[in-house]
Amino acid sequence: MRTTQTFLRSGLTVAAAAALPLALAAPAAVAWGSGISVSTSGTTVSVTTSACPSNGSSFGDASLLSNGQANFAQGRQMSLTGTSTSQSASWTGVGPGTYTVIVVCQDGSTAGTQSIIVSAPAATPTISTTTTPTATASPSRGVMGGLGGAVKDYGTATVVGGGALVVTGTVAAAWFLRRRSKPHRL
């Protein structure tokens, strides 16, 4: 009987701990359904959508906003081209940094907004042809310090959620060890 209760309690604790990350990730999953898809390749940023119907002459416009730019008109604007099922726009010669892409259809509705990070091009190794050949390569941005060299910057909610999981695990472990040391208690 006691073993069954222990397994039941620990099973409920494990289920609650497993459900917490899913609950915290739910708002992030909603953001993916923005109606646009943004990608980057080198110094080119591209956006595709199928949310903008044609009025016969155009589908709408897309704007690439850099840091400090607040609205659609301040960004680099491109007209959407394509077919009634897929429209796209692209910008070339985009420098490294964080950008926001906004797509506005010709009827004035916003198809979506998405942020993207354009990274600096990787350094190409150079080979010296002197008497003693040496190959040198240098990292473009150095070593990423901080959270174990993580490239993605996690938001406050993620860090708080992780801290809550650590605290919950610590409290559960202390509770379990305390209960285990006193077998006469249920």
Side-chain angles (χ1 to χ4, degrees):
M1 176 75 175
R2 179 177 164 89
T3 305
T4 305
Q5 287 179 345
T6 303
F7 284 136
L8 177 63
R9 288 180 185 164
S10 62
L12 292 174
T13 304
V14 169
L20 185 60
L22 296 175
L24 292 175
V30 173
W32 284 101
S34 69
I36 65 172
S37 174
V38 181
S39 62
T40 180
S41 176
T43 62
T44 302
V45 176
S46 302
V47 61
T48 59
T49 185
S50 59
C52 293
S54 173
N55 67 354
S57 62
S58 104
F59 295 100
D61 295 314
S63 183
L64 180 70
L65 285 76
S66 63
N67 276 346
Q69 294 178 328
N71 61 29
F72 186 86
Q74 292 177 338
R76 291 174 52 186
Q77 297 180 18
M78 296 291 290
S79 294
L80 292 173
T81 59
T83 64
S84 61
T85 58
S86 177
Q87 305 87 40
S88 64
S90 65
W91 299 267
T92 58
V94 178
T98 302
Y99 295 89
T100 302
V101 176
I102 302 173
V103 175
V104 176
C105 299
Q106 52 84 22
D107 62 359
S109 64
T110 301
T113 301
Q114 187 174 338
S115 294
I116 191 162
I117 297 173
V118 178
S119 58
T124 56
T126 58
I127 299 176
S128 174
T129 57
T130 60
T131 56
T132 55
T134 58
T136 60
S138 61
S140 60
R141 293 173 44 192
V143 175
M144 299 286 289
L147 298 172
V151 175
K152 183 175 181 178
D153 184 21
Y154 292 98
T156 304
T158 305
V159 174
V160 169
L165 286 174
V166 169
V167 168
T168 302
T170 304
V171 169
W175 177 79
F176 176 78
L177 292 174
R178 181 177 170 270
R179 302 280 293 181
R180 187 175 178 186
S181 69
K182 299 179 182 181
H184 63 277
R185 299 173 79 187
L186 289 177

